[in-house]
């Protein structure tokens, strides 16, 4: 299978493995274990002495999961990929597999709540020193990185305030001291941004989001060099049990087939909604990387091929106005998920980031009136009409 094909072609064909039956759709190998013809073959398989590909246990690897991994690797332009049960398992594995007590990392402070819990609470509990910085401030990265820094970590687009991190600039600082760059690229999507090409060493996704994209299954992926995936990450993950279900991998394969089409339709809708929001008197601020008034629009324009599927906006009336707005919506659904074919909205201060202190939320820009919107594939004019009517109700 070649990687010289266009993205849409790879999303349909890359990594396909057909059984002896020649099925059109990928097969689901819903099995825990594998059978060997004799003891000698089993011994050789466990020792890795057999050249042709084989499997020993589905916690380690599975044919359907491997198809999914190879297809995502082709999409991202990565040497290899390892799939996990959830996006947070991917983040946890990507970080913990390469860290030990005494190591130092630098992380952007604007993170999804669970990611912040890992870097702010779990890693220090195991003796890893963590320095948190304003991810948009390149000088802050430069000041925080030390000769003994092991890695840097950040979301390419932060959740929920959509800060855009300059990946090449941070990568240059990190690589100068021998540190690896780990990027959570879920908001930017692999369709609109290739973080490895921009300087990242390891990229993680919650496949739950755009890759499945239809609200069905949980999953995650970690991408990087074959050496990193097989010698560091695989050992950690296969022994700690964060394996992806073969059924979920099959669902994700189906999701990949339409990923490019969906993301482009979602980005078109997001741009239209952002434009309508910016013109409404009830809205204090709109945060959408594709707009010229976004603080890091120039960085987004260099790194991304579109503005993305996500946006946030701040209502002038605070929490009360935000809740009135949510109640008035008819088409857009209230949910803390994102990347779905259906448009979903949440109030971060009381959901995804509610465990943060009021002071930290204020520092990160998560105000009482802030709403995060994941735009789906509905007709943009219908979304604009629903949101405009709800804004009028919230303001009234």
């Amino acid at each position: 299978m070649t990687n010289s094909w266009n993205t849409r072609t790879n999303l349909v064909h890359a990594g396909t493995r057909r059984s002896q039956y020649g099925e059109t759709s990928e097969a689901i190998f819903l099995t825990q274990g594998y059978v060997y013809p004799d003891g000698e073959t089993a011994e050789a398989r466990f020792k890795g002495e057999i050249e042709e590909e084989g499997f020993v246990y589905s916690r380690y690897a599975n044919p359907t999961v491997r198809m999914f991994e190879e297809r995502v690797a082709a999409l991202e332009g990565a040497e290899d990929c390892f799939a996990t049960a959830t996006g947070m398992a991917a983040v946890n594995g990507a970080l913990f597999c390469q860290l030990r007590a005494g190591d130092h990392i630098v992380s952007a402070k604007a993170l999804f709540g669970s990611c912040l819990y890992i870097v702010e609470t779990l890693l220090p509990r195991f003796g890893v020193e963590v320095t948190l910085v304003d991810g948009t401030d390149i000088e802050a990265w430069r000041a925080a990185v030390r000769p003994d820094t092991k890695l840097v970590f950040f979301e390419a687009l932060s959740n929920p305030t959509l800060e855009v991190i300059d990946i090449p600039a941070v990568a240059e600082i990190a690589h100068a001291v021998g540190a690896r760059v780990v990027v959570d690229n879920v908001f930017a999507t692999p369709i609109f941004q290739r973080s490895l090409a921009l300087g990242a060493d390891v990229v993680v996704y919650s496949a739950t989001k755009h890759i499945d994209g239809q609200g069905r299954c949980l999953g995650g992926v970690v991408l990087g060099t074959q050496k990193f995936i097989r010698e560091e990450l695989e050992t950690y993950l296969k022994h700690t049990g964060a394996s992806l279900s073969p059924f979920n991998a099959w669902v994700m394969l189906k999701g990949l087939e339409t990923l490019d089409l969906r993301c482009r339709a979602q980005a078109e809708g997001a741009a239209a909604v952002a434009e309508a929001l910016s013109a409404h008197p009830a809205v204090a601020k709109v945060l959408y990387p594709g707009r010229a008034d976004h603080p890091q629009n120039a960085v987004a324009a260099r790194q991304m091929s579109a503005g993305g599927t996500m946006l946030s906006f701040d209502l002038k009336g605070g929490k009360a106005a935000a809740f009135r707005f949510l109640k008035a919506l008819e088409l857009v659904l209230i949910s803390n998920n994102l990347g779905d074919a259906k448009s979903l909205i949440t109030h971060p201060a009381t959901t995804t980031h509610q465990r943060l202190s009021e002071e930290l939320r204020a520092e990160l820009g998560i105000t009482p009136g802030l709403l995060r919107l994941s735009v789906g594939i509905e007709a943009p004019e219908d979304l604009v009409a629903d949101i405009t009517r709800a804004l009028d109700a919230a303001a009234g």
Side-chain angles (χ1 to χ4, degrees):
M1 197 63 68
T2 179
N3 281 348
S4 63
W5 292 331
N6 290 321
T7 294
R8 288 189 188 179
T9 306
N10 271 324
L11 286 172
V12 175
H13 293 287
T16 300
R17 297 153 183 253
R18 290 188 172 86
S19 75
Q20 69 271 32
Y21 300 111
E23 62 279 348
T24 302
S25 182
E26 297 81 1
I28 306 176
F29 291 91
L30 200 60
T31 182
Q32 299 166 341
Y34 304 86
V35 175
Y36 316 98
D38 49 52
E40 289 82 1
T41 302
E43 180 183 30
R45 182 72 71 201
F46 270 77
K47 287 183 175 180
E49 294 175 350
I50 299 178
E51 289 187 6
E52 67 268 19
E53 185 178 50
F55 300 87
V56 298
Y57 192 54
S58 284
R59 175 159 51 85
Y60 295 1
N62 171 279
T64 308
V65 175
R66 191 60 189 143
M67 280 191 273
F68 172 62
E69 291 169 341
E70 290 183 350
R71 191 167 295 180
V72 177
L75 167 64
E76 187 72 25
E79 288 184 10
D80 211 344
C81 171
F82 199 97
T84 61
T86 67
M88 286 314 305
V91 173
N92 177 282
L95 297 178
F96 270 87
C97 80
Q98 55 183 315
L99 294 171
R100 63 183 63 189
D103 285 343
H104 173 249
I105 77 165
V106 182
S107 171
K109 65 178 69 174
L111 296 172
F112 172 57
S114 294
C115 291
L116 190 61
Y117 177 75
I118 287 179
V119 300
E120 191 178 41
T121 303
L122 284 186
L123 287 174
R125 187 182 297 173
F126 289 93
V128 176
E129 185 181 355
V130 179
T131 301
L132 296 174
V133 299
D134 175 353
T136 64
D137 186 345
I138 297 303
E139 292 308 312
W141 287 102
R142 202 182 311 278
V145 167
R146 309 186 318 218
D148 63 339
T149 300
K150 189 71 177 290
L151 64 83
V152 303
F153 173 64
F154 56 89
E155 296 170 355
L157 293 181
S158 70
N159 180 2
T161 53
L162 295 161
E163 294 179 353
V164 185
I165 308 297
D166 190 330
I167 298 175
V170 175
E172 182 180 6
I173 293 168
H175 291 158
V177 297
R180 284 179 178 156
V181 179
V182 181
V183 175
D184 182 336
N185 200 52
V186 67
F187 269 38
T189 81
I191 299 301
F192 299 133
Q193 182 168 281
R194 302 289 172 85
S195 293
L196 291 177
L198 291 167
D201 300 294
V202 179
V203 175
V204 298
Y205 289 98
S206 171
T208 309
K209 308 305 188 290
H210 302 87
I211 289 176
D212 173 31
Q214 289 156 84
R216 300 167 295 194
C217 293
L218 301 176
V221 292
V222 184
L223 300 114
T225 64
Q226 187 176 56
K227 181 178 175 63
F228 169 75
I229 297 294
R230 296 303 150 194
E231 295 182 12
E232 297 182 57
L233 180 73
E234 180 183 20
T235 302
Y236 177 84
L237 287 175
K238 77 180 185 181
H239 291 303
T240 54
S243 52
L244 179 65
S245 156
F247 178 79
N248 286 14
W250 182 82
V251 172
M252 301 289 181
L253 279 164
K254 298 293 97 183
L256 282 172
E257 292 181 351
T258 60
L259 177 64
D260 185 272
L261 300 170
R262 286 185 285 108
C263 282
R264 295 189 188 281
Q266 289 169 280
E268 178 187 355
V273 169
E275 186 67 24
L277 286 167
S278 68
H280 199 284
V283 178
K285 180 170 60 176
V286 177
L287 295 169
Y288 182 60
R291 285 183 57 83
D293 57 3
H294 188 282
Q296 295 89 43
N297 173 254
V299 177
R302 290 197 303 270
Q303 295 184 171
M304 300 177 64
S305 59
T309 70
M310 304 292 302
L311 59 93
S312 292
F313 56 99
D314 198 355
L315 295 187
K316 292 178 181 177
K319 178 182 174 181
F323 277 28
R324 287 196 301 271
F325 171 81
L326 292 174
K327 188 172 291 188
L329 290 168
E330 295 179 358
L331 179 60
V332 180
L333 305 175
I334 304 170
S335 174
N336 51 286
N337 199 18
L338 61 97
D340 198 282
K342 301 176 180 68
S343 290
L344 307 175
I345 194 164
T346 193
H347 183 251
T350 55
T351 59
T352 57
H353 291 71
Q354 56 83 26
R355 79 171 190 89
L356 304 184
S357 67
E358 186 175 342
E359 293 74 22
L360 182 54
R361 286 199 299 269
E363 181 183 350
L364 296 174
I366 304 172
T367 62
L370 188 75
L371 293 157
R372 188 196 73 191
L373 175 63
S374 171
V375 177
I377 62 173
E378 301 95 342
E381 55 268 31
D382 291 335
L383 291 174
V384 168
D386 187 44
I387 288 168
T388 301
R389 183 190 49 76
L391 284 172
D392 291 341

